[in-house]
């Protein structure tokens, strides 16, 4: 039986293979970016959007973007899915990191890439039956800067937030920026609904420039829902919301049932995830 495979710079290895040495810059300095991508069979959802964000982040970090990079990545993702016989739902993690050399100052801007795959429970997006319980994590703020919209190798705020949610026995928790504004959750963008209007923290507040965030905004607008995507949101607004939900590219939408003593509905989540599946998985 073939072992589970991963792809490193276009070559396929068993996932147990030792690929890196101690001078790897992602390990030493967090000199890396990554994308998590949803696939249905060998169909890659929102691939163009993921690659656009990744390459914009690479440009910000002054990493060299190889010729035909998107085509190379797409070909290797599809090959990896086939090799791992993951023909239903698949989670792809695509990492890029600057090649070894130098201390803080790199000796090269050339990059390597790593593609990993894992199976999902469903090839489509489905709404969680049991609503999430959430709280606030305010011990470590997420900075708002030119890199805050990208997924970088520096994930310490999210690691600490994840540990905090487990200690508190919550399903997720929300991070704040240095101005005490709501930003996002451990792995998702934040939306609230009040009086039929959709609100989400602005990218300037430090929120991830989420691929699914943009999809939900566009779907809501197409449905005639008013959307404010440039909000400065305070924790007090959570208590006044009619609904809260979280979004990311892997799970789509997850609705929240409880924050502190407040309880919420999920009417908008149901409508939006139905439209999301129609858009991304159209019937033949």
């Amino acid at each position: 039986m073939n072992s589970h495979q991963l792809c490193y710079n276009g070559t396929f290895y068993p996932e147990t293979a030792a690929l890196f040495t101690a001078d790897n810059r992602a390990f030493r300095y967090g000199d890396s970016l990554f994308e998590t991508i949803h696939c249905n069979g060998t169909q890659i959802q929102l691939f163009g959007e993921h690659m656009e964000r990744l390459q914009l982040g690479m440009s910000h970090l002054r990493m060299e973007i190889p010729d035909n990079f998107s085509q190379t990545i797409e070909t290797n993702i599809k090959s990896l899915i086939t090799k791992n016989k993951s023909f239903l739902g698949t989670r792809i993690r695509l990492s890029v990191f600057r090649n070894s050399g130098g201390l803080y100052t790199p000796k090269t801007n050339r990059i390597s890439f790593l593609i990993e795959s894992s199976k999902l429970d469903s090839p489509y997006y489905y709404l969680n039956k049991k609503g999430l319980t959430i709280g606030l994590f305010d011990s470590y703020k997420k900075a708002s800067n030119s890199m805050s919209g990208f997924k970088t190798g520096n994930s310490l705020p999210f690691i600490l937030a994840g540990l905090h949610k487990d200690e508190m026995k919550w399903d997720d928790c929300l991070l704040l920026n240095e101005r005490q504004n709501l930003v996002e959750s451990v792995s998702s963008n934040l939306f609230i609904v009040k009086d039929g209007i959709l609100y989400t923290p602005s990218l300037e507040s430090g929120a991830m420039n989420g691929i699914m965030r943009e999809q939900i905004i566009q779907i809501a607008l197409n449905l005639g829902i008013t959307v404010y995507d440039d909000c400065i949101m305070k924790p007090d607004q959570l208590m006044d919301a009619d609904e809260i939900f979280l979004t990311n590219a892997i799970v789509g939408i997850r609705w929240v049932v409880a924050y502190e003593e407040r309880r919420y509905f999920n009417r908008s989540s149901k409508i939006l995830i139905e439209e999301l599946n129609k858009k991304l998985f159209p019937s033949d």
Side-chain angles (χ1 to χ4, degrees), residues 47-48 51-52 55 65-75:
F47 179 72
M51 291 305 297
E52 181 179 358
Q55 291 178 91
I65 301 173
D67 293 339
N68 302 314
F69 187 49
S70 289
Q71 293 177 356
T72 298
I73 296 299
E74 181 177 10
T75 298

Side-chain angles (χ1 to χ4, degrees), residues 217-235:
I217 290 170
Q218 292 302 316
I219 289 170
L221 291 173
N222 291 341
L223 292 173
I225 298 171
T226 300
V227 180
Y228 292 101
D229 64 354
D230 58 352
C231 302
I232 304 301
M233 292 174 59
K234 297 293 185 181

